Amino acid sequence: MNTLTGPTSPQLAKIASRILAGSFLFEDLDPELLEQLSAQATVRRLEDGQLLFEKGAAADGLYAVEAGKVRISSVSETGKEIVLNVLAPGAVFGEIALLDGEPRTATARAVGPTRFLFISRDAFFEIFDREAPLRRHITALLCRRLRWVSDLLEDANFLDLMARLIKRILWLAERHGGPDPEGIRIALPLSQQELGLMLGVTREAVNKKLRELEKRDMITRRDGRLVIKDADGLKQLLADAIKN
């Protein structure tokens, strides 16, 4: 069962401001607006596997991961699950239902003990309705998100599995990568099952392609994390696949 804190403390508001400022949703937003939004934050906690919200649920507000991980997924009418994203600390999500008030477009579930920051829809729109700079900022964000969805559709139709896997690995490296003696270490732990769900394929199919990349000495796997040993080589393989 998720729990909520009481009124926002100065310490919580400071944490919320730091997370919001580093997110795709609020990066480059005026500090005064960030402060107003952060002052509305409360905390929710979930244990491993607990549901935060389900696809089709009513929109209640905006979430940010403070600690732990969140799996964002969708299930087809036939019961097939596709993982759309796995979110690490610092990620902000739930913005679609927040903005349009329609039911949630995906399911969110905790991966391990997870702590969230939460801003209610009513609190968000109280600020949104009176602040034109925030409205302009959100409009630009929605345009970027539409481009991202368009890219995903193109990938699914025009790229083979190896190319899609490489693109996803490089994407993860951009967001969660850090220096490693062998190259770039993706700090976010992802199982082959989770990678497969992201790409809409089986764990076995992902395993086969990862082994091919390991044989080429482009990646390695260590302690449940991927390490990119040859980023330039991966980018070249992706570029060749796109050309073909």
Side-chain angles (χ1 to χ4, degrees):
M1 191 78 175
N2 49 2
T3 58
L4 286 165
T5 62
T8 305
S9 67
Q11 182 180 10
L12 177 58
K14 186 176 180 180
I15 293 171
S17 182
R18 173 179 54 80
I19 291 176
L20 294 179
S23 74
F24 76 96
L25 189 58
F26 298 114
E27 61 182 356
D28 301 324
L29 186 64
D30 183 271
E32 184 179 339
L33 291 175
L34 273 176
E35 186 176 337
Q36 291 184 50
L37 290 168
S38 300
Q40 305 302 317
T42 55
V43 173
R44 293 187 174 186
R45 299 177 180 87
L46 292 178
E47 296 303 317
D48 181 40
Q50 279 192 292
L51 185 71
L52 179 63
F53 55 74
E54 197 165 17
K55 181 177 180 178
D60 55 352
L62 185 72
Y63 292 89
V65 185
E66 184 186 351
K69 284 196 305 180
V70 180
R71 186 169 71 182
I72 306 296
S73 65
S74 185
V75 178
S76 70
E77 293 181 359
T78 60
K80 182 180 180 181
E81 182 186 24
I82 297 216
V83 174
L84 304 173
N85 212 343
V86 178
L87 305 176
V92 175
F93 62 101
E95 71 281 358
I96 295 176
L98 169 82
L99 293 171
D100 67 12
E102 295 296 317
R104 296 288 184 187
T105 58
T107 295
R109 192 177 295 275
V111 180
T114 304
R115 176 179 161 111
F116 307 90
L117 300 179
F118 172 74
I119 299 174
S120 74
R121 190 167 188 269
D122 288 344
F124 177 85
F125 271 100
E126 183 179 340
I127 300 170
F128 184 89
D129 287 343
R130 71 169 182 260
E131 298 287 356
L134 180 58
R135 296 196 294 273
R136 290 194 294 269
H137 180 88
I138 294 298
T139 299
L141 164 81
L142 293 176
C143 292
R144 292 197 300 271
R145 179 54 65 94
L146 185 59
R147 292 176 187 274
W148 179 71
V149 171
S150 178
D151 286 344
L152 287 180
L153 290 173
E154 286 189 8
D155 290 350
N157 283 286
F158 301 125
L159 296 181
D160 63 16
L161 175 56
M162 178 62 88
R164 285 167 27 228
L165 175 61
I166 291 172
K167 192 168 185 179
R168 177 62 67 164
I169 290 172
L170 292 172
W171 182 86
L172 289 167
E174 285 182 9
R175 286 153 182 78
H176 307 291
D180 183 271
E182 292 188 273
I184 302 170
R185 182 176 184 267
I186 298 173
L188 183 66
L190 280 174
S191 68
Q192 292 177 28
Q193 180 72 19
E194 287 172 321
L195 275 173
L197 289 170
M198 283 182 176
L199 299 170
V201 299
T202 65
R203 182 194 66 80
E204 290 78 12
V206 168
N207 179 267
K208 181 179 179 181
K209 297 303 180 183
L210 289 174
R211 287 182 179 276
E212 289 180 25
L213 293 175
E214 285 181 302
K215 287 178 180 178
R216 295 182 182 218
D217 205 32
M218 291 182 171
I219 67 165
T220 188
R221 287 173 280 183
R222 190 193 320 129
D223 302 324
R225 268 72 169 181
L226 282 175
V227 177
I228 298 175
K229 300 174 69 176
D230 184 3
D232 289 339
L234 289 177
K235 291 175 183 176
Q236 186 60 55
L237 277 180
L238 180 59
D240 292 343
I242 292 173
K243 288 179 183 178
N244 295 331

XYZ file of all heavy atoms in Angstrom, residues 110-154:
382
model
N 6.353 -0.815 -9.202
C 7.658 -0.671 -8.546
C 8.536 -1.886 -8.819
O 8.066 -3.027 -8.817
C 7.486 -0.484 -7.049
N 9.818 -1.621 -9.048
C 10.819 -2.677 -9.163
C 11.765 -2.495 -7.978
O 12.629 -1.637 -7.976
C 11.594 -2.580 -10.492
C 12.629 -3.698 -10.586
C 10.646 -2.633 -11.677
N 11.574 -3.295 -6.934
C 12.278 -3.086 -5.682
C 11.575 -2.011 -4.865
O 10.667 -1.327 -5.350
N 11.964 -1.844 -3.597
C 11.384 -0.770 -2.789
C 11.615 0.574 -3.469
O 12.735 0.891 -3.856
C 12.168 -0.869 -1.466
C 12.698 -2.266 -1.434
C 12.966 -2.635 -2.865
N 10.553 1.343 -3.639
C 10.633 2.563 -4.444
C 9.938 3.715 -3.736
O 8.887 3.543 -3.114
C 9.992 2.336 -5.828
O 10.634 1.225 -6.462
C 10.160 3.554 -6.713
N 10.556 4.877 -3.852
C 10.019 6.100 -3.239
C 9.769 7.121 -4.352
O 10.643 7.376 -5.173
C 11.018 6.626 -2.209
C 10.646 7.948 -1.548
C 11.721 8.312 -0.532
N 11.694 9.710 -0.179
C 11.344 10.189 1.003
N 10.964 9.353 1.944
N 11.375 11.486 1.250
N 8.564 7.679 -4.353
C 8.151 8.635 -5.381
C 7.866 10.001 -4.776
O 7.443 10.104 -3.628
C 6.848 8.186 -6.059
C 6.854 6.799 -6.596
C 6.459 5.737 -5.803
C 7.230 6.550 -7.909
C 6.454 4.443 -6.301
C 7.222 5.268 -8.415
C 6.841 4.213 -7.613
N 8.051 11.028 -5.594
C 7.482 12.330 -5.304
C 6.210 12.465 -6.137
O 6.153 11.993 -7.272
C 8.456 13.445 -5.665
C 9.795 13.429 -4.926
C 10.678 14.577 -5.401
C 9.601 13.487 -3.427
N 5.224 13.108 -5.582
C 3.917 13.208 -6.232
C 3.400 14.639 -6.162
O 3.440 15.277 -5.101
C 2.928 12.263 -5.551
C 1.501 12.412 -6.017
C 1.119 11.930 -7.256
C 0.553 13.033 -5.214
C -0.195 12.058 -7.699
C -0.760 13.163 -5.640
C -1.134 12.676 -6.887
N 2.935 15.168 -7.321
C 2.273 16.472 -7.380
C 0.883 16.245 -7.955
O 0.738 15.735 -9.072
C 3.056 17.467 -8.257
C 4.454 17.700 -7.676
C 2.306 18.796 -8.366
C 5.347 18.563 -8.549
N -0.130 16.588 -7.202
C -1.497 16.318 -7.638
C -1.852 17.152 -8.871
O -1.285 18.223 -9.110
C -2.490 16.621 -6.511
O -2.633 18.016 -6.344
N -2.820 16.663 -9.621
C -3.263 17.365 -10.831
C -3.848 18.737 -10.475
O -3.601 19.722 -11.175
C -4.284 16.502 -11.565
C -4.634 17.006 -12.957
C -5.391 15.947 -13.748
N -5.528 16.400 -15.134
C -6.565 17.103 -15.587
N -7.550 17.426 -14.761
N -6.611 17.477 -16.848
N -4.614 18.804 -9.406
C -5.207 20.083 -9.005
C -4.131 21.103 -8.659
O -4.214 22.275 -9.063
C -6.132 19.881 -7.811
C -7.429 19.172 -8.190
O -7.742 19.109 -9.399
O -8.107 18.673 -7.280
N -3.100 20.659 -7.919
C -2.030 21.571 -7.527
C -1.238 22.033 -8.743
O -0.866 23.211 -8.849
C -1.101 20.886 -6.523
N -0.988 21.106 -9.672
C -0.246 21.460 -10.877
C -1.008 22.512 -11.691
O -0.436 23.514 -12.126
C 0.005 20.213 -11.728
C 0.700 20.499 -13.032
C 2.073 20.582 -13.100
C -0.044 20.695 -14.195
C 2.716 20.854 -14.305
C 0.586 20.973 -15.398
C 1.968 21.048 -15.449
N -2.305 22.297 -11.900
C -3.066 23.205 -12.768
C -3.350 24.552 -12.107
O -3.602 25.540 -12.804
C -4.348 22.537 -13.246
C -4.143 21.782 -14.525
C -3.964 20.417 -14.505
C -4.081 22.444 -15.741
C -3.740 19.720 -15.684
C -3.862 21.756 -16.921
C -3.682 20.388 -16.895
N -3.298 24.598 -10.806
C -3.423 25.888 -10.147
C -2.274 26.809 -10.571
O -2.458 28.010 -10.792
C -3.413 25.711 -8.624
C -3.604 27.008 -7.865
C -3.604 26.802 -6.362
O -3.828 25.660 -5.914
O -3.372 27.791 -5.641
N -1.078 26.217 -10.706
C 0.097 26.978 -11.159
C 0.056 27.153 -12.677
O 0.311 28.240 -13.207
C 1.387 26.263 -10.725
C 1.432 26.136 -9.202
C 2.622 26.996 -11.237
C 2.527 25.235 -8.679
N -0.276 26.080 -13.397
C -0.315 26.098 -14.860
C -1.255 27.186 -15.385
O -0.925 27.911 -16.339
C -0.766 24.721 -15.356
C -0.775 24.547 -16.841
C 0.343 24.097 -17.517
C -1.928 24.816 -17.582
C 0.330 23.922 -18.896
C -1.949 24.643 -18.951
C -0.813 24.201 -19.610
N -2.421 27.318 -14.776
C -3.433 28.248 -15.275
C -3.014 29.710 -15.116
O -3.481 30.574 -15.880
C -4.764 28.021 -14.554
C -5.444 26.733 -14.999
O -5.064 26.203 -16.060
O -6.332 26.243 -14.266
N -2.149 29.990 -14.182
C -1.777 31.393 -13.962
C -0.397 31.755 -14.499
O -0.030 32.927 -14.512
C -1.852 31.730 -12.471
C -0.782 31.110 -11.600
C -0.788 31.708 -10.197
N 0.265 31.157 -9.375
C 0.126 30.200 -8.476
N -1.098 29.686 -8.252
N 1.152 29.742 -7.781
N 0.385 30.759 -14.967
C 1.766 31.021 -15.389
C 1.952 30.703 -16.875
O 2.108 29.543 -17.265
C 2.760 30.200 -14.551
C 2.748 30.522 -13.065
C 3.396 31.873 -12.757
O 3.925 32.529 -13.689
O 3.378 32.273 -11.582
N 1.957 31.742 -17.727
C 2.139 31.543 -19.169
C 3.476 30.889 -19.517
O 3.524 30.049 -20.428
C 1.999 32.879 -19.899
N 4.593 31.209 -18.837
C 5.864 30.553 -19.167
C 5.807 29.030 -18.995
O 6.415 28.289 -19.774
C 6.864 31.182 -18.187
C 6.296 32.525 -17.891
C 4.809 32.306 -17.861
N 5.063 28.573 -17.998
C 4.915 27.133 -17.807
C 4.109 26.526 -18.950
O 4.434 25.437 -19.446
C 4.244 26.840 -16.463
C 4.015 25.358 -16.127
C 5.326 24.584 -16.140
C 3.317 25.224 -14.769
N 3.086 27.216 -19.412
C 2.277 26.703 -20.525
C 3.110 26.601 -21.806
O 3.002 25.619 -22.549
C 1.055 27.598 -20.742
C 0.081 27.600 -19.565
C -1.270 28.164 -19.950
N -1.215 29.576 -20.294
C -1.323 30.569 -19.417
N -1.441 30.303 -18.123
N -1.307 31.827 -19.813
N 3.946 27.608 -22.074
C 4.801 27.557 -23.266
C 5.810 26.413 -23.161
O 6.082 25.716 -24.145
C 5.520 28.892 -23.449
C 4.596 30.030 -23.871
C 5.389 31.226 -24.368
N 6.184 31.830 -23.295
C 5.734 32.810 -22.517
N 4.512 33.285 -22.671
N 6.516 33.326 -21.585
N 6.344 26.230 -21.973
C 7.325 25.163 -21.742
C 6.708 23.786 -22.010
O 7.309 22.938 -22.675
C 7.823 25.255 -20.292
C 8.832 24.220 -19.926
N 10.190 24.397 -20.108
C 8.692 22.971 -19.416
C 10.824 23.323 -19.706
N 9.945 22.434 -19.279
N 5.515 23.559 -21.508
C 4.851 22.265 -21.682
C 4.488 22.028 -23.147
O 4.569 20.898 -23.653
C 3.599 22.189 -20.787
C 3.994 22.211 -19.303
C 2.788 20.941 -21.104
C 4.867 21.038 -18.872
N 4.103 23.070 -23.867
C 3.785 22.928 -25.291
C 5.005 22.415 -26.065
O 4.891 21.499 -26.903
C 3.327 24.270 -25.884
O 2.154 24.705 -25.194
C 3.013 24.129 -27.364
N 6.164 22.995 -25.786
C 7.392 22.558 -26.455
C 7.723 21.112 -26.092
O 8.162 20.321 -26.934
C 8.554 23.475 -26.068
N 7.484 20.740 -24.855
C 7.738 19.372 -24.414
C 6.875 18.380 -25.183
O 7.343 17.326 -25.620
C 7.454 19.252 -22.925
C 7.314 17.814 -22.423
C 8.685 17.202 -22.210
C 6.461 17.713 -21.191
N 5.603 18.691 -25.347
C 4.695 17.784 -26.050
C 5.137 17.569 -27.492
O 4.999 16.463 -28.030
C 3.272 18.336 -25.996
C 2.625 18.374 -24.610
C 1.253 19.029 -24.684
C 2.518 16.972 -24.032
N 5.673 18.599 -28.106
C 6.181 18.451 -29.473
C 7.368 17.490 -29.506
O 7.470 16.643 -30.403
C 6.591 19.813 -30.033
S 5.200 20.921 -30.323
N 8.264 17.601 -28.535
C 9.404 16.674 -28.469
C 8.943 15.244 -28.235
O 9.478 14.300 -28.825
C 10.372 17.099 -27.358
C 11.100 18.404 -27.623
C 12.316 18.560 -26.733
N 11.992 18.555 -25.319
C 11.683 19.644 -24.625
N 11.629 20.824 -25.224
N 11.420 19.555 -23.334
N 7.939 15.077 -27.380
C 7.439 13.728 -27.099
C 6.793 13.109 -28.336
O 6.949 11.910 -28.591
C 6.440 13.798 -25.942
C 5.821 12.460 -25.546
C 6.872 11.404 -25.254
N 7.680 11.723 -24.112
C 7.434 11.311 -22.878
N 6.380 10.580 -22.631
N 8.268 11.600 -21.910
N 6.094 13.904 -29.129
C 5.481 13.409 -30.360
C 6.551 12.926 -31.336
O 6.385 11.892 -31.996
C 4.630 14.500 -30.988
C 3.821 14.109 -32.224
C 2.871 12.968 -31.915
C 3.050 15.308 -32.758
N 7.640 13.659 -31.425
C 8.745 13.233 -32.288
C 9.317 11.903 -31.817
O 9.676 11.041 -32.624
C 9.838 14.303 -32.304
C 9.436 15.599 -32.990
C 10.544 16.634 -32.868
N 10.129 17.944 -33.360
C 10.209 18.318 -34.624
N 10.681 17.468 -35.521
N 9.813 19.524 -34.991
N 9.431 11.728 -30.494
C 9.969 10.491 -29.926
C 9.074 9.301 -30.282
O 9.564 8.232 -30.667
C 10.078 10.648 -28.407
C 10.587 9.444 -27.692
C 11.853 8.945 -27.695
C 9.824 8.571 -26.836
N 11.931 7.814 -26.900
C 10.703 7.567 -26.362
C 8.493 8.558 -26.419
C 10.281 6.572 -25.497
C 8.078 7.553 -25.560
C 8.969 6.576 -25.107
N 7.757 9.476 -30.171
C 6.824 8.401 -30.513
C 6.930 8.056 -31.997
O 6.900 6.887 -32.390
C 5.387 8.801 -30.141
C 4.387 7.781 -30.686
C 5.239 8.925 -28.632
N 7.077 9.076 -32.833
C 7.231 8.852 -34.267
C 8.479 8.027 -34.558
O 8.465 7.119 -35.399
C 7.298 10.197 -34.994
O 7.490 10.006 -36.378
N 9.565 8.318 -33.850
C 10.803 7.550 -34.022
C 10.606 6.085 -33.644
O 11.115 5.178 -34.319
C 11.918 8.155 -33.172
C 12.448 9.457 -33.746
O 12.177 9.735 -34.927
O 13.128 10.192 -33.004
N 9.871 5.835 -32.551
C 9.627 4.456 -32.128
C 8.850 3.676 -33.184
O 9.147 2.509 -33.457
C 8.841 4.442 -30.805
C 9.587 4.847 -29.538
C 8.647 4.783 -28.341
C 10.799 3.946 -29.301
N 7.853 4.316 -33.767
C 7.059 3.651 -34.802
C 7.910 3.339 -36.030
O 7.797 2.260 -36.620
C 5.874 4.535 -35.192
C 4.775 4.693 -34.136
C 3.752 5.725 -34.578
C 4.102 3.356 -33.860
N 8.774 4.270 -36.407
C 9.664 4.027 -37.541
C 10.607 2.860 -37.256
O 10.850 2.012 -38.121
C 10.459 5.289 -37.853
C 9.654 6.364 -38.534
C 10.523 7.514 -39.017
O 11.759 7.390 -38.960
O 9.966 8.526 -39.459
